[in-house]
């Protein structure tokens, strides 16, 4: 049970997620400091890349809605802590406003959202989301993936808001949407819920949750690559 003890020891200093962020810092950095984000921060991002990201992320967010609803359902079924549901419900509710924001932003850039189709990295990511919606997937695994998906965007776009960044003014609203402190608070709430579940999880669930965390990071990297036309 050496592995369990090590993981448990890692968990004591800030939760299992902190231990995984340390253990997987390289891939986490590739997901949260991608060239697409660094070029946005440096003001050198190619606007055609940004427009491709906008169009594809709109498709992703529409697929994200039923995924978040499935996490809410799992929370209702498996969590005795009613406050979990309220945090997840607030996340679900914000997606309503998010979809309206995408439509407005697309108009601003002359991006036609209707009639666009998901590129391969997006299709793969949405298929992964659908796999997590299965009733076979535990609430603990689903909430860990949900936290990871939101946290990658929060870390990424907050880079573009830091002092000294040269983010173009016309991209600031996008960066504030996910990079803001309030979105950061929301991500922290999700992280607390996930840690609470992981502390009590048996080894096989811990393994599946860690795999889901790593899959999210891989899909996020491919999504940024797709946005950059790679
Ligand atoms: C691809 C992707 N990952 C995460 C988020 C955050 O919700 C998003 N909008 N799109």
């Amino acid at each position: 049970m050496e592995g369990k003890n090590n993981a448990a020891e890692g968990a004591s200093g800030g939760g299992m997620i902190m231990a995984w962020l340390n253990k997987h810092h390289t891939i986490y950095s590739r997901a949260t400091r991608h060239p697409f984000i660094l070029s946005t921060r440096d003001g050198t991002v190619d606007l055609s890349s940004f427009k491709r990201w906008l169009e594809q992320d709109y498709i992703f967010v529409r697929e994200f809605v039923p995924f978040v609803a499935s996490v809410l359902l799992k929370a209702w079924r498996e969590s005795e802590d009613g406050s979990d549901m309220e945090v997840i419900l607030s996340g679900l509710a914000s997606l309503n406003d998010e979809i309206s924001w995408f439509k407005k932003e697309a108009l601003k850039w002359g991006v036609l959202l209707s009639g666009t189709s998901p590129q391969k990295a997006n299709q793969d990511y949405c298929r992964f989301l659908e796999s997590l919606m299965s009733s076979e997937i535990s609430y603990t695994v689903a909430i860990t993936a949900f936290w990871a998906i939101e946290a990658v965007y929060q870390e990424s776009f907050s880079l573009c808001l830091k002092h000294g960044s040269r983010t173009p003014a016309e991209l600031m609203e996008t960066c504030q949407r996910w990079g803001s402190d309030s979105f950061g608070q929301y991500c922290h709430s999700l992280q607390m819920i996930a840690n609470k579940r992981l502390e009590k999880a048996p080894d096989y669930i811990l393994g599946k949750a860690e795999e889901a965390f790593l899959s999210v990071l891989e899909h996020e990297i491919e999504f940024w690559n797709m946005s950059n036309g790679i």
Side-chain angles (χ1 to χ4, degrees):
M1 288 280 271
E2 182 57 30
K4 168 108 172 135
N5 295 337
N6 285 344
E9 276 153 24
S12 61
M16 186 61 75
I17 283 180
M18 182 76 75
W20 290 344
L21 288 172
N22 290 329
K23 179 179 172 186
H24 304 297
H25 71 276
T26 303
I27 183 171
Y28 188 70
S29 181
R30 288 175 52 221
T32 56
R33 303 177 67 85
H34 188 276
F36 177 85
I37 287 298
L38 299 185
S39 63
T40 299
R41 178 200 62 185
D42 300 343
T44 59
V45 63
D46 180 332
L47 279 189
S48 62
S49 295
F50 175 78
K51 290 179 184 177
R52 188 182 303 115
W53 166 82
L54 187 70
E55 158 203 293
Q56 290 296 309
D57 209 44
Y58 172 71
I59 295 168
F60 176 87
V61 167
R62 294 194 69 97
E63 289 293 312
F64 195 49
V65 172
F67 166 71
V68 177
S70 75
V71 179
L72 187 63
L73 193 59
K74 290 179 191 314
W76 172 72
R77 283 205 178 109
E78 296 181 42
S79 168
E80 57 290 342
D81 186 341
S83 67
D84 288 19
M85 196 194 73
E86 287 159 23
V87 173
I88 301 163
L89 186 55
S90 74
L92 190 57
S94 71
L95 292 177
N96 183 42
D97 173 58
E98 192 151 295
I99 286 169
S100 306
W101 178 85
F102 270 99
K103 291 174 177 173
K104 181 175 67 69
E105 194 71 8
L107 274 177
K108 171 178 148 187
W109 293 100
V111 168
L112 199 63
L113 293 181
S114 58
T116 53
S117 52
Q119 292 186 17
K120 183 178 180 328
N122 203 353
Q123 286 172 354
D124 293 349
Y125 203 170
C126 292
R127 203 172 301 122
F128 172 65
L129 284 184
E130 280 173 40
S131 73
L132 294 176
M133 290 168 66
S134 153
S135 55
E136 313 281 303
I137 302 292
S138 74
Y139 172 51
T140 300
V141 172
I143 191 73
T144 300
F146 182 29
W147 159 78
I149 293 167
E150 303 286 45
V152 165
Y153 263 42
Q154 206 285 325
E155 286 267 355
S156 296
F157 286 111
S158 64
L159 276 183
C160 305
L161 301 178
K162 289 213 178 346
H163 186 66
S165 70
R166 301 168 59 81
T167 305
E170 63 271 26
L171 301 187
M172 280 303 280
E173 203 179 301
T174 299
C175 298
Q176 276 154 356
R177 174 152 215 90
W178 288 282
S180 67
D181 289 344
S182 58
F183 194 78
Q185 290 297 321
Y186 160 65
C187 290
H188 186 70
S189 302
L190 292 176
Q191 184 175 348
M192 305 282 277
I193 294 171
N195 269 329
K196 186 182 58 181
R197 297 293 298 188
L198 290 165
E199 261 164 34
K200 294 179 299 190
D203 272 359
Y204 79 97
I205 293 287
L206 282 180
K208 287 186 177 301
E210 190 173 7
E211 274 171 31
F213 169 58
L214 291 172
S215 295
V216 165
L217 298 181
E218 284 157 13
H219 283 293
E220 289 291 346
I221 291 163
E222 290 310 314
F223 199 94
W224 294 130
N225 286 340
M226 167 196 70
S227 303
N228 264 356
I230 297 169

